[in-house]
Amino acid sequence: MDYCQVIGAGAVGLAIARKLAERDGTSTLLIEKHGSVGMETSSRNSEVIHAGLYYGHDSLKTKFCLQGKHMMYDLCRRENIGHRNTNKWIVAQDDQQWEELVKVHKFARSIDVPTRFLPLQEAHDKEPDVRAQAGVLESESTGIVDSHGLMSWLEGKFQSLGGETAFNTAVTGIEALSSGGFKIHTASDDGNSEPVTTETLINSGGLFAIPISNMILPESRQLKPFYAKGTYFSYSASHPRPNTLVYPAPRPGHGGLGTHLTLDLANPPRVRFGPDVEWVDDPNDYKPNHSRLAAALDEIETYLPSLQRDAVEVDYCGIRPKLGKLGAVASGKGFQDFIIRKEDGFDTFVNLLGIESPGLTSSLAIGEYVNGLLYR
């Protein structure tokens, strides 16, 4: 029997655990510090199924986003998990932003992702309230997913395969054993702190993945975590309410994709905006910062000028695990890819670091990849 332990029950950790549990002769334990799955980054996001437009050639983000997008749509259709292929508009207001759209379109064509420029009159006819003075690029394969429904399905599938989950259990220390494998020290709400051992360890700790990695790796290979807090904003007015996702043109070097307009799966769909980017030191700081509202309103009005400002309110926050104050798109300097690898000197330890957007879209593909890393 091969004993595996996965740290972190977000969407990616669940996808990995479910895939490992499918293997004969494997016993898999999923360790989660919270009382249920997906309490951090996986549930505090825009729930977008990304097309894979921003992350450059040969990156893990592109590879897994493209694979994961198709796997996500297939799984959601097959298992009746809430989702919708909404399409997405990326809008430009000036010549510089238009050039960014052209770069995105050329890259999308090179990786066989469908995008098209909309004639401005067609765009106005479809969404008269959306401003796009210089152009609109439409992504036809972008959508939204019920992230909670997805994670609930993954959790149920994992359990039906015999997997076990230790909730309310925080990892406090990890020892690499000279005989191979690892001893994991934990603290749980019930006071049980008995260490457990495992042959194979997967670190999918999300916001806490770097501190967990630093428990194992020598000091010369340890990293510093960075945290990008994003505030989301609700919208209570009945107008304007576009029926497609709307994103500003990407800004090279920026830590996010701009304060964009997304929809949920309600009927009719509710509009929300966000996230913005605020660098913070505390990965537990989910308190909304109301000082972010004014700047967000100004950015939203660039593409939605008839916005009723008094109908926008600060709603909730999410935090993205970062490996530095780096860009979210590959067209600028400092783009940071996912890190997913076996660590040198630790053949049965797989490290997943900086798993931010498009982590939700990529989750099923990452599960397949980690399984392949361990059992080729």
Side-chain angles (χ1 to χ4, degrees):
M1 183 68 72
D2 185 8
Y3 292 93
C4 303
Q5 292 190 12
V6 180
I7 300 173
V12 172
L14 285 163
I16 294 168
R18 167 244 183 172
K19 198 64 190 175
L20 295 177
E22 290 179 347
R23 300 187 63 86
D24 292 335
T26 299
S27 175
T28 305
L29 174 66
L30 182 58
I31 300 175
E32 169 55 46
K33 65 183 291 188
H34 296 288
S36 58
V37 303
M39 295 294 289
E40 294 178 353
T41 308
S42 295
S43 60
R44 291 174 170 268
N45 59 69
S46 302
E47 297 187 299
V48 171
I49 302 174
H50 286 284
L53 303 176
Y54 299 111
Y55 316 113
H57 292 98
D58 303 319
S59 73
L60 292 182
K61 286 186 175 181
T62 293
K63 175 181 178 179
F64 295 137
C65 188
L66 295 183
Q67 293 177 358
K69 171 181 62 176
H70 296 297
M71 295 172 72
M72 184 78 70
Y73 279 126
D74 288 346
L75 177 66
C76 289
R77 283 191 290 264
R78 189 171 66 248
E79 301 297 336
N80 294 316
I81 298 169
H83 72 289
R84 185 154 60 91
N85 182 192
T86 57
N87 293 7
K88 162 180 156 180
W89 286 8
I90 311 173
V91 296
Q93 312 301 342
D94 56 35
D95 290 344
Q96 182 177 356
Q97 292 182 6
W98 168 255
E99 289 302 319
E100 293 301 322
L101 264 60
V102 171
K103 292 177 186 177
V104 172
H105 180 57
K106 288 181 177 178
F107 174 68
R109 291 181 64 183
S110 74
I111 58 172
D112 295 322
V113 171
T115 58
R116 70 181 185 111
F117 287 110
L118 295 183
L120 290 181
Q121 186 59 53
E122 179 184 344
H124 182 267
D125 291 343
K126 287 185 173 181
E127 296 288 358
D129 297 309
V130 174
R131 175 194 282 159
Q133 292 179 309
V136 177
L137 182 65
E138 182 176 60
S139 168
E140 301 171 21
S141 59
T142 301
I144 52 177
V145 64
D146 175 3
S147 61
H148 299 274
L150 170 68
M151 290 187 286
S152 178
W153 184 89
L154 288 170
E155 179 185 15
K157 188 66 174 179
F158 172 64
Q159 293 173 342
S160 72
L161 292 165
E164 298 183 18
T165 307
F167 287 117
N168 298 308
T169 301
V171 175
T172 58
I174 302 175
E175 300 175 51
L177 302 175
S178 58
S179 58
F182 303 89
K183 178 182 287 187
I184 303 173
H185 299 268
T186 62
S188 61
D189 284 359
D190 62 8
N192 183 6
S193 58
E194 188 73 20
V196 291
T197 60
T198 186
E199 298 168 23
T200 300
L201 180 62
I202 297 94
N203 174 20
S204 185
L207 293 170
F208 300 91
I210 288 178
I212 289 168
S213 174
N214 291 347
M215 295 176 185
I216 299 174
L217 298 183
E219 186 174 356
S220 61
R221 292 161 61 186
Q222 293 179 7
L223 299 173
K224 176 184 176 181
F226 291 80
Y227 306 107
K229 181 178 178 179
T231 299
Y232 290 85
F233 307 89
S234 63
Y235 189 57
S236 58
S238 60
H239 180 84
R241 282 183 174 267
N243 291 308
T244 190
L245 311 188
V246 183
Y247 281 57
R251 286 181 282 169
H254 192 260
L257 298 178
T259 303
H260 44 267
L261 182 156
T262 58
L263 307 169
D264 67 11
L265 291 165
N267 187 18
R270 290 183 292 262
V271 168
R272 60 186 169 189
F273 303 100
D276 61 2
V277 175
E278 176 186 3
W279 296 101
V280 296
D281 296 323
D282 182 1
N284 298 300
D285 178 16
Y286 291 109
K287 184 178 180 180
N289 184 347
H290 288 266
S291 69
R292 312 292 298 181
L293 179 59
L297 290 172
D298 291 344
E299 183 171 9
I300 295 164
E301 280 187 326
T302 63
Y303 61 81
L304 202 65
S306 58
L307 176 79
Q308 297 183 39
R309 293 175 70 102
D310 58 358
V312 180
E313 295 183 355
V314 172
D315 192 1
Y316 66 96
C317 295
I319 302 177
R320 286 154 280 177
K322 296 275 193 175
L323 300 173
K325 293 184 179 181
L326 303 170
V329 299
S331 59
K333 294 181 179 179
F335 170 71
Q336 179 61 61
D337 200 7
F338 293 151
I339 291 178
I340 305 175
R341 65 192 179 201
K342 281 186 178 180
E343 294 288 359
D344 290 343
F346 304 92
D347 285 344
T348 58
F349 173 47
V350 177
N351 224 356
L352 295 94
L353 307 176
I355 309 300
E356 51 157 336
S357 182
L360 180 62
T361 305
S362 304
S363 57
L364 300 175
I366 292 174
E368 297 256 355
Y369 180 72
V370 170
N371 180 61
L373 277 180
L374 292 168
Y375 302 103
R376 291 180 182 176

